[in-house]
Every structure is written in structure tokens, then in C-alpha cells.
Amino acid sequence: MTLRYLILFTLSVLLLSCRKDNESPLSTGTAEWKDAPVVSSQSGNTVIQIQGVQGIKWNARITEGAAWCSFSLANSIPEKDGVLTEGINALYVYFSENTDKEDRKASISIQIGEGTPISLVLTQNGKISGTDAETDTKRPNKAWAEIPDYQANPAFQYVTHYTHLNGKSVRNYSICYDQSHKAALWVAYPLHKCYLGNLDRTDEWTYDPDIESQYQIYVKRAYKEHPKYDRGHQIPSADRTQTREMNAQTFYFTNQTPQVGKGLNQDIWQKLEEVIRKNYICADTLYVVTGAYFAHSNTKATDNKGVKTDVPTHYFKVLLRTKSGMTGKWVRQCDASQLQAIGFWLENKAYSSTQITKDICKKVSEIEAITGFTFFPGIPSQVKNDFNAIEWNLN
């Protein structure tokens, strides 16, 4: 009997040991791509999401493709260490432009604790003349009417945020984020009644998950200079009230700038947003680009960590739609006589009136000349070279 029990005990210990060893790699953590592991030939970045037990150390190494991939935007860093925090941990992978016609691959090995290394592969498409931008997975799709032309600038990061609507994944808004100013220079979005509902503001300010936090201003609470400066939205919270997800995305730190509160954000700017929602939305879709302009960086505001950030000198909105509002056609299928565009240009200052008149309007082409951006590319230039105040119900 004694020998029998001894044998059973020994087998039990061996089984438990085997089960523990087998389960260890599974329980340590996971690593996976946030988006599809295929990117366009353009330079950009993508994200690996790492999750696991808080406090466990991890290591990531680029084992293949380190010549064009890095864990840093500024330097070539093929290896990075970290410690897991609660929730999703973002590991950014930066890649340079692929000027060859052939696809190329980068291999990344991620070790989480004592677990088995996880291997991930990133594929970058080869350069395909004329069509590559249409299949770009990290930059906004240039086929969308609201997207301005891209500008090659190492400080610019292009991001599109998607949301779910009626069971489908649709674009919420796109941004051109300037890491040097820590602000979006433009935020582009379609505006249609399908985005509007009855939900209240989430008011849950947080980091944009697609942009490294070191390039963002931390304003969970108001700026130190409040009430002088509000956290002024670029795409308004009130333009995205159909679902909680789409509204929450308007409260990313990247969608706000220090905007004068009384007399601007709380008054004429808010009134302008209301007029746009009430008078300019149409069945054909209204296309909007809101932006911040920095004529200089002389004025600063202070975030919740004591970091100084540049204050925009001006704000703008440019709009495009069909004149009838119900052609049933895409704007690039319309001729100049069927389209209308207008721009609004305001200083970052307090205004004495909330009236939306042609006095704060400019031609879209004029705002293009000031900002250096090309808005609504692909539509006839004469549409942007003038505006008819009567067509926009303005005095």
C-alpha cells in the first residue's frame, strides 16, 4: 500500500508540474497588432497592444527589418524594455517610406515575463504609383472629400478614428497632428444627421490612443489659466451624439487646444457650431475641416503637469456641400455649379458679439493661402475661390 501511494503521489506531482509549465506562457501576457499588420508604402507608425499581469517586465526586439523599423520616431532603436501597467500597454512601431516596388517585412519578438516569446510580422506594401494612397491603412483615405492634401513633415502625424454605427465601422474624424505644437492643425470630418442623437457629453478627457502620450498635452482638468482658456474642441462633442463611443473620441487630448473661453469658445465659436448643425447639414453630407493656426508661439498655456504649450493665434472652419443638399451624388461627381464652399476665420480672442455674419468669413482659397493646406482637393478651384453669403444665409 505504501508503495502504491508513493507512486500515485509522485505521478500527481509530475502532472501538476507539467500543467504549471504549460500554462505559464499563456498566463503571462499577450501581444497583438492594434490594426491590420499591413501598412502602406508611406512612412508612419502602427501600434502593438501588450496586456498581462501588472508589474511584469517585457522586452521587444526587431529581429528583422531594423533598417527601416524602429521603436522611436527620432532615433533608430531596435529594442525596448518596459513594465506592464493595468489595461492595454501601447508599443509604437515607426517605419520609413518604402520606395521599392516590392513588399518588405519586419519581424518583432516580444518576451513577456518568463513566457514563450511572441513573434509578430509587419508587412509594408511596395510603392504602387497612383493607387497607394487609396489603400493606406494608417493615414486618412484621400478619397474622402473632407481630407486635405497631405504635407510631408516629420512633425506631422495623420490619424483617423473609426467608430461603430448601425453595426458597421465608419470614420469618425481624421486629424493632422503637429507634435511640435502638440496640437491638431486640422480635424476633418463628415457631418450628417446619422451622427446626431440625444446622448450627453461624456466629458471623459483622455489620451489619444493612436499618438504617443509624450507628444500630447495632459488636460484631464482645465488649463492652469482657466477660465481664460477652455479645452476647446475642434470637432464638437455636439456633432457626435449618436453613440457613446463616437462622443468619447471627441474628448481625446489631441482634439482640443487652449481656446479663449468667454467671448469665443463659449460664445461666438459655439454659436457657429450650432448654425452649422442647424442650417448647413444636408442629405448629401456636409464636409467640415476645423483647424488651429499658429502665426507665432509667443503665448503659452499650462497643462495639469505644469508643461507649457503653444496657444493658437487663430481658428478656422471650411465647409463644402452641394447647393441643393439632395443630389444623391458624391461631391466629386458634381460640377462647380452644383457645389458651394465657405470658410470662417476667427482670432483666438474674446468677441463682443455672437452673431455669425460674413464679416468672419473668408474664401476657402484665402485660408489655404494662410495655412498652407489644400482643402477639398479634386473639386473645381472656382468653388473655393468665392462664396455667396446669401447661399449660406449670412448677412
Side-chain angles (χ1 to χ4, degrees):
M1 291 291 288
T2 304
L3 180 59
R4 180 184 177 187
Y5 283 118
L6 179 61
I7 293 172
L8 290 172
F9 175 77
T10 303
L11 288 172
S12 298
V13 171
L14 288 172
L15 287 171
L16 287 171
S17 298
C18 289
R19 184 172 64 185
K20 183 178 180 181
D21 289 342
N22 289 336
E23 288 180 352
S24 180
L26 298 176
S27 60
T28 302
T30 61
E32 60 185 8
W33 295 108
K34 178 180 181 293
D35 299 307
V38 180
V39 295
S40 81
S41 66
Q42 301 295 318
S43 62
N45 70 77
T46 187
V47 178
I48 296 173
Q49 295 181 328
I50 306 175
Q51 288 182 283
V53 179
Q54 186 174 355
I56 288 182
K57 295 181 180 180
W58 58 265
N59 170 268
R61 289 186 302 113
I62 300 174
T63 59
E64 179 184 353
W68 55 277
C69 269
S70 174
F71 294 128
S72 169
L73 177 64
N75 303 298
S76 177
I77 298 180
E79 186 169 359
K80 190 168 185 177
D81 299 304
V83 178
L84 289 179
T85 58
E86 184 179 359
I88 296 175
N89 298 253
L91 173 63
Y92 289 82
V93 181
Y94 297 89
F95 45 87
S96 61
E97 182 180 4
N98 184 6
T99 57
D100 295 333
K101 293 183 179 180
E102 300 297 323
D103 294 355
R104 60 186 181 183
K105 296 181 183 294
S107 298
I108 300 172
S109 177
I110 300 175
Q111 176 86 36
I112 306 175
E114 300 298 323
T116 301
I118 301 169
S119 296
L120 298 176
V121 175
L122 177 68
T123 301
Q124 186 178 32
N125 293 333
K127 190 73 173 178
I128 304 175
S129 177
T131 62
D132 189 65
E134 300 302 324
T135 58
D136 195 325
T137 59
K138 288 307 295 177
R139 295 190 183 191
N141 192 324
K142 291 176 73 175
W144 300 336
E146 73 273 13
I147 302 299
D149 267 346
Y150 303 132
Q151 288 189 359
N153 188 313
F156 291 178
Q157 184 174 347
Y158 296 93
V159 171
T160 292
H161 291 298
Y162 293 87
T163 189
H164 292 89
L165 188 62
N166 299 323
K168 296 181 179 180
S169 178
V170 299
R171 70 190 188 275
N172 196 359
Y173 63 91
S174 303
I175 69 174
C176 171
Y177 193 75
D178 186 343
Q179 295 172 348
S180 64
H181 286 302
K182 294 187 176 181
L185 298 184
W186 55 252
V187 177
Y189 49 98
L191 189 52
H192 190 273
K193 65 179 181 181
C194 67
Y195 287 95
L196 304 180
N198 300 309
L199 293 180
D200 291 332
R201 295 161 54 100
T202 60
D203 273 317
E204 297 174 358
W205 289 101
T206 189
Y207 284 115
D208 186 325
D210 285 343
I211 294 176
E212 285 196 71
S213 58
Q214 64 178 307
Y215 299 116
Q216 300 184 50
I217 292 300
Y218 184 78
V219 279
K220 196 79 173 178
R221 303 180 307 280
Y223 282 97
K224 180 181 178 181
E225 292 78 8
H226 184 77
K228 180 177 181 180
Y229 295 126
D230 287 350
R231 294 167 291 184
H233 284 72
Q234 295 212 54
I235 175 174
S237 165
D239 282 0
R240 294 294 189 261
T241 55
Q242 185 63 246
T243 70
R244 179 177 178 82
E245 179 188 43
M246 66 173 62
N247 185 263
Q249 290 177 349
T250 71
F251 285 90
Y252 289 157
F253 296 151
T254 54
N255 185 46
Q256 64 77 43
T257 58
Q259 187 175 41
V260 169
K262 187 66 175 177
L264 184 61
N265 183 52
Q266 300 170 29
D267 295 287
I268 191 171
W269 188 257
Q270 180 177 325
K271 180 65 175 179
L272 174 59
E273 294 172 341
E274 291 172 354
V275 167
I276 291 172
R277 279 192 299 273
K278 180 180 178 181
N279 297 338
Y280 302 153
I281 284 182
C282 60
D284 283 341
T285 300
L286 173 70
Y287 299 100
V288 186
V289 184
T290 302
Y293 178 71
F294 297 83
H296 56 73
S297 300
N298 300 337
T299 307
K300 308 288 183 180
T302 314
D303 77 356
N304 301 162
K305 293 183 178 180
V307 176
K308 298 290 185 180
T309 185
D310 298 335
V311 175
T313 58
H314 299 79
Y315 291 96
F316 64 86
K317 287 183 182 289
V318 292
L319 313 179
L320 171 70
R321 54 163 283 173
T322 58
K323 289 182 179 180
S324 72
M326 47 187 171
T327 64
K329 296 194 296 185
W330 189 38
V331 289
R332 286 184 182 153
Q333 297 173 321
C334 299
D335 58 38
S337 67
Q338 296 175 293
L339 299 173
Q340 60 186 55
I342 194 170
F344 297 88
W345 182 264
L346 293 94
E347 290 185 58
N348 194 6
K349 69 174 187 179
Y351 284 75
S352 59
S353 172
T354 62
Q355 294 300 310
I356 307 303
T357 68
K358 61 183 179 182
D359 293 335
I360 61 169
C361 295
K362 286 184 180 293
K363 303 170 186 177
V364 173
S365 59
E366 290 178 317
I367 298 179
E368 287 180 326
I370 296 170
T371 63
F373 289 109
T374 299
F375 302 111
F376 313 128
I379 69 165
S381 58
Q382 57 263 44
V383 177
K384 298 187 289 184
N385 285 336
D386 202 2
F387 68 87
N388 185 331
I390 296 175
E391 291 179 344
W392 295 95
N393 299 315
L394 297 172
N395 296 320

